[in-house]
Amino acid sequence: MASYYRPIVQTDAARPPDALPLAGGWGWFDHVEELRRDAPPRLMPARSLPPEIRARLIAPRPAIAGLTLDQPRIMGILNVTPDSFSDGGRFDRPEAALARGRALAEVADILDIGGESTRPGAAVVPVEDEIARTAPVIAGLRAAGVRTPISIDTRKAAVARAALEAGADLINDVAAFTFDPGQVQVAARAGVPVCLMHARGDPITMQDDPRYDNVLLDVYDFLAARVAAVEAAGLSRSQIVVDPGIGFGKTVAHNLALIRGLSLFHGLGCAVLLGASRKRFIGTLAGVAQADRRGPGSIAVALAAVAQGVQFLRVHDAAETRQALRLDMALKKMEQIDD
Ligand code: HH2
């Protein structure tokens, strides 16, 4: 049975001389947790890691869409939809979407624009409608002088193509390029970075009793296979972001297991993204029914992800997350303090 290695990430300034840097970022590790399907987890020193995994864990991640990954990056969500689970209908008129996009660009490192809700139970949006919702907003932001990188959140090649033509820089696909066979070619031809997210089933059925043998290892294996597939289609591993897909075919326990184990995904040699913002498990655990009141719980999860070296945080509350990150980075001695 295969072994998987999860670095035990630390950020303390007191660091042993043989500690290894994690992915060129703010974390380091000198121990890893060895995980197997047929045995209990075991702690082992990082010096005993297989060389290939060691190399993937420590290699600095190249910039993605111009963003260096030596610090956590905020991906601000702009849903141009009538029905997204927490902000549906708020920004689906072009003027509202543009105003929101310009405000978000002030605080987020990258904007993620989506025209199809993928909340549990959501139906597929026709391609023309999805293009009509997203491409004009991207073009409008560019025309207004917004230079912040833009990600298009879509499963569909035609939508991604129109978005890239309008000025988008990254394709974020919640189906990890399994929904539309043309999607990978759009990315390969344009040479843009991509985000591959794990989902179990499609949005209509994904929350119907999801089961895994071992959720952390199953999601890791899925992402490893998808990274290999898009690499084979011509994309470079250094331009792939991986995401365990919180809430996409997962129970509360599955989501928690994935968040606790996030640093495992650095072993894929890719930047890691987490999208937990305002999701249902936060409401369940915190007892908050209204999605737009789940900001504090979302920030708690975001900081837990940063503690595991996660490079991208996909969030609704970008300004609040930025504030929390500034403090977190200052406490980790990552921020220049001038006073
Ligand atoms: N979650 C949503 C949509 N896109 N992309 C990535 N990479 N990771 C995620 O976790 C993720 C995602 C769902 O959240 P939201 O966009 O707020 O809602 P909706 O799908 O209802 O528009």
Side-chain angles (χ1 to χ4, degrees):
M1 280 260 172
S3 288
Y4 302 74
Y5 303 95
R6 187 179 78 82
I8 311 295
V9 186
Q10 312 225 36
T11 52
D12 205 288
R15 173 175 171 160
D18 62 345
L20 299 174
L22 179 67
W26 51 96
W28 57 267
F29 62 104
D30 58 0
H31 278 76
V32 298
E33 188 182 30
E34 182 189 18
L35 302 168
R36 294 171 63 94
R37 292 178 185 275
D38 60 349
R42 184 175 77 95
L43 268 187
M44 61 179 243
R47 64 175 174 278
S48 311
L49 273 173
E52 193 195 320
I53 294 282
R54 180 185 192 277
R56 283 210 175 137
L57 287 173
I58 68 176
R61 305 294 182 245
I64 298 265
L67 299 170
T68 59
L69 300 182
D70 51 352
Q71 55 179 292
R73 297 296 185 173
I74 294 178
M75 175 182 266
I77 302 170
L78 176 52
N79 284 320
V80 195
T81 56
D83 58 344
S84 284
F85 80 92
S86 89
D87 54 359
R90 287 195 58 204
F91 310 115
D92 58 338
R93 283 177 308 107
E95 319 80 67
L98 266 181
R100 173 67 177 164
R102 293 176 74 161
L104 256 186
E106 298 290 315
V107 280
D109 296 298
I110 179 168
L111 308 181
D112 188 39
I113 299 187
E116 175 182 65
S117 172
T118 44
R119 73 184 190 289
V124 174
V125 173
V127 169
E128 316 75 61
D129 295 2
E130 203 180 325
I131 292 176
R133 288 176 185 177
T134 50
V137 175
I138 297 168
L141 288 170
R142 291 299 182 230
V146 171
R147 303 170 82 96
T148 306
I150 294 177
S151 149
I152 175 72
D153 185 351
T154 187
R155 302 180 285 172
K156 301 179 198 123
V159 179
R161 200 178 304 113
L164 296 179
E165 277 163 17
D169 308 275
L170 182 151
I171 303 174
N172 170 27
D173 187 338
V174 299
F177 288 58
T178 61
F179 182 82
D180 182 339
Q183 178 92 315
V184 75
Q185 283 317 319
V186 174
R189 273 200 208 109
V192 290
V194 300
C195 178
L196 306 179
M197 195 199 81
H198 173 273
R200 167 63 58 88
D202 60 37
I204 295 175
T205 58
M206 66 189 182
Q207 287 307 110
D208 299 347
D209 192 23
R211 284 164 196 257
Y212 298 85
D213 285 339
N214 176 321
V215 66
L216 187 60
L217 304 186
D218 291 1
V219 170
Y220 184 93
D221 282 347
F222 170 89
L223 289 173
R226 294 311 303 153
V227 169
V230 302
E231 246 190 329
L235 274 78
S236 146
R237 187 175 289 253
S238 70
Q239 292 302 297
I240 301 172
V241 181
V242 292
D243 176 351
I246 297 301
F248 284 80
K250 280 116 187 164
T251 62
V252 172
H254 294 145
N255 290 323
L256 288 175
L258 288 167
I259 294 167
R260 291 191 190 109
L262 277 172
S263 62
L264 177 75
F265 297 103
H266 295 296
L268 293 169
C270 301
V272 182
L273 181 147
L274 190 77
S277 182
R278 298 187 183 175
K279 285 188 177 167
R280 191 183 299 176
F281 81 103
I282 295 176
T284 306
L285 292 171
V288 181
Q290 206 178 310
D292 64 4
R293 306 191 95 171
R294 296 176 189 156
S298 304
I299 289 174
V301 176
L303 294 184
V306 169
Q308 297 218 30
V310 165
Q311 290 94 346
F312 285 101
L313 302 167
R314 181 181 181 277
V315 303
H316 300 88
D317 303 296
E320 292 80 357
T321 309
R322 172 66 69 206
Q323 183 183 125
L325 267 187
R326 286 227 166 95
L327 270 289
D328 193 51
M329 289 291 114
L331 291 164
K332 289 185 170 74
K333 300 195 177 173
M334 292 279 302
E335 191 114 311
Q336 194 70 39
I337 314 288
D338 318 302
D339 62 358

